[in-house]
Each structure stands twice: as C-alpha cells, then as structure tokens.
Amino acid sequence: IMENKNNYQKIENSTVDIIMPNYNKGKFLEEAINSVLNQDYKNWKLIIIDGASSDNSKNILKDFEKKFNNIQVVYLDKRENTAYARNLGIKLAKATYIAFLDSDDYWRENKLSEQINFMENFNYDFTYTDYVPFYLINHKKKFKKKVIPPDSFTYNEFIYNTSIATSSMVIKKSIIGDIKCPDVKILEDYPFKCEILKKKSMAQKLKKDLMFYRISEGSLQSNKFRNVYWLWF
C-alpha cells in the first residue's frame, strides 16, 4: 500500500472514477486495489460494488475503506450480476472520466497518468490500451504474450474484433449518457462498448501495455462454446 497513507486527502471532485465490481475475488482484491493506490496520478476515486460476497472480500474491503477516503464500497444485500454492478458504479460516478478495473486484474502504476494525458492532449473520449494476460501455476505468475488490439475501432470494425479489454478502458462520462450494460449472464461489457461506439463513432488506443489480465482457472477453455453463443445473442 502507498506510503503516507494517513495523509491521503479526501477527493471531492476526482478527475476519474474507477468502477470495480467484485464477487468472491478476495484472494485477488488487494493486488487490484493496491494497483490503484500506487498510481502516480492521484486525482481518482475508486467505487467498488460488492455483490454479497461470501468469502473474505468484505473484511478486506472494510479495511481499505477505513484507511482511504477516496475508496467507496457499496455492499449489496444479494448477489447481482456484473452488469448490475457496472451500471450502479456508472450511476454513482461524478468524475469527468470513468475507468473500469475488474477485481482480479491490475494496472501498471502509470496507467491513469498516461491514458488521461493521452485523452486530454488529443481530445479523445474513449480509449483503451494493450495488455498482458497472465495465470498462476504453483502460486507463481506466468505471463503470456502481450495482446495488441488494433489502433482504433469504429462500431463496424469492433463487431468483428472484440479485443478491447474492459479493464484497459477510460471513457468520458459525458458520452455514456443513459447507455447501460444489458442484463445478460456474461459478456455484458460487449454490447455496452458497441452502444458507445454507435454513439461516438470511434475508440482510440494508447499503444502501451498498462494492464494485466488474469486468466482464471477453468475460465476460458471450458466456456468457449458458451461464450460464442452469448456473444451472438
């Protein structure tokens, strides 16, 4: 955790609000949250929506919430899907920019400073970055080859190539408007991105890998057919 944490000032008007859904990811939470705390860009607020976790998530979240005034946690009374959590986070966000970070991913420490500077210099509304997938073997991280999406996406390009990682995105809140993640079981972020691209016409990539994407055990191979079906749906 950052040094001088007791002197960390409450931010009333953050530039970027970070939305983090969580459900039973207690063993990954600290790494994800610490990657936000360690950002060299300081004008942020972290909004965590916990979907009635039954593991040790709540204890971890309460500890962070106590120590840092710019971490807001919403504890839901019952399990809700990720779409509900993202939509609630967007509703609560007041900043100019909204970033997304899943509770099992994490960022490089210069992620926000690089990306927000990129957006402000070129007046971009929707950006994303390259990223590095990883997985654990015997408690050690194994990093895969960096994923390098195209440099930009229009709506018509994106529907054939869905490689924008949600945890790499920063979007101006003003262009989201009343767009919501639809109430579907998985891949709720795909139609959300589509709707924004329909409205805004283009997303631009910052050509740096600033995010680490966790491949959870059994999450990819066993679900490939199901994910293809839901993406079509």
Side-chain angles (χ1 to χ4, degrees):
I1 297 176
M2 292 175 53
E3 294 179 5
N4 303 320
K5 57 180 177 283
N6 293 330
N7 295 323
Y8 210 78
Q9 299 298 310
K10 185 174 182 179
I11 294 176
E12 298 292 348
N13 297 301
S14 55
T15 304
V16 56
D17 286 349
I18 304 148
I19 297 167
M20 179 185 291
N22 178 68
Y23 178 69
N24 285 350
K25 296 289 176 64
K27 58 185 176 181
F28 309 131
L29 258 178
E30 291 186 61
E31 184 171 40
I33 295 172
N34 281 330
S35 79
V36 177
L37 291 169
N38 289 328
Q39 290 296 300
D40 54 18
Y41 184 90
K42 303 302 182 189
N43 197 17
W44 54 262
K45 180 178 180 180
L46 175 59
I47 302 170
I48 305 170
I49 312 296
D50 184 74
S53 291
S54 57
D55 64 354
N56 63 336
S57 289
K58 289 181 183 177
N59 292 334
I60 294 168
L61 293 172
K62 286 179 189 297
D63 191 45
F64 276 109
E65 201 177 15
K66 243 183 254 180
K67 291 176 182 174
F68 299 97
N69 288 325
N70 54 345
I71 294 179
Q72 175 186 357
V73 184
V74 178
Y75 301 93
L76 301 179
D77 293 331
K78 63 177 182 175
R79 173 78 178 112
E80 299 283 359
N81 61 24
T82 305
Y84 183 96
R86 290 198 206 283
N87 290 335
L88 179 56
I90 291 168
K91 185 178 179 181
L92 293 172
K94 307 296 181 190
T96 303
Y97 298 99
I98 291 179
F100 299 89
L101 178 60
D102 288 346
S103 57
D104 53 355
D105 298 334
Y106 66 98
W107 290 341
R108 294 193 190 274
E109 64 183 15
N110 58 335
K111 199 265 186 191
L112 290 178
S113 59
E114 294 267 3
Q115 201 161 351
I116 290 174
N117 187 53
F118 175 65
M119 294 177 76
E120 293 191 339
N121 282 345
F122 296 99
N123 197 28
Y124 292 145
D125 296 325
F126 181 176
T127 64
Y128 56 99
T129 70
D130 299 328
Y131 59 96
V132 178
F134 72 99
Y135 57 96
L136 294 182
I137 291 186
N138 297 325
H139 306 291
K140 291 184 179 179
K141 287 180 183 174
K142 298 290 183 182
F143 295 95
K144 293 173 71 68
K145 187 178 178 182
K146 176 170 67 175
V147 176
I148 305 175
D151 291 349
S152 64
F153 278 109
T154 62
Y155 169 74
N156 287 329
E157 291 166 339
F158 182 70
I159 58 176
Y160 298 108
N161 182 337
T162 62
S163 56
I164 296 177
T166 302
S167 290
S168 81
M169 298 191 316
V170 178
I171 303 175
K172 267 192 181 173
K173 181 170 168 58
S174 59
I175 71 160
I176 296 176
D178 58 359
I179 296 172
K180 293 182 178 180
C181 295
D183 186 14
V184 293
K185 291 181 180 179
I186 57 172
L187 301 175
E188 79 297 325
D189 50 346
Y190 170 69
F192 174 73
K193 295 166 194 171
C194 286
E195 288 298 323
I196 291 174
L197 285 170
K198 272 186 187 177
K199 178 178 180 181
K200 192 53 195 172
S201 79
M202 187 165 286
Q204 299 284 346
K205 186 181 78 170
L206 173 59
K207 299 177 188 178
K208 295 186 179 184
D209 60 286
L210 300 175
M211 187 270 283
F212 295 92
Y213 173 82
R214 186 183 303 271
I215 301 171
S216 299
E217 292 178 21
S219 65
L220 291 185
Q221 296 300 327
S222 62
N223 294 332
K224 270 188 177 177
F225 181 77
R226 185 186 69 177
N227 287 0
V228 167
Y229 169 77
W230 278 104
L231 194 56
W232 168 82
F233 180 80

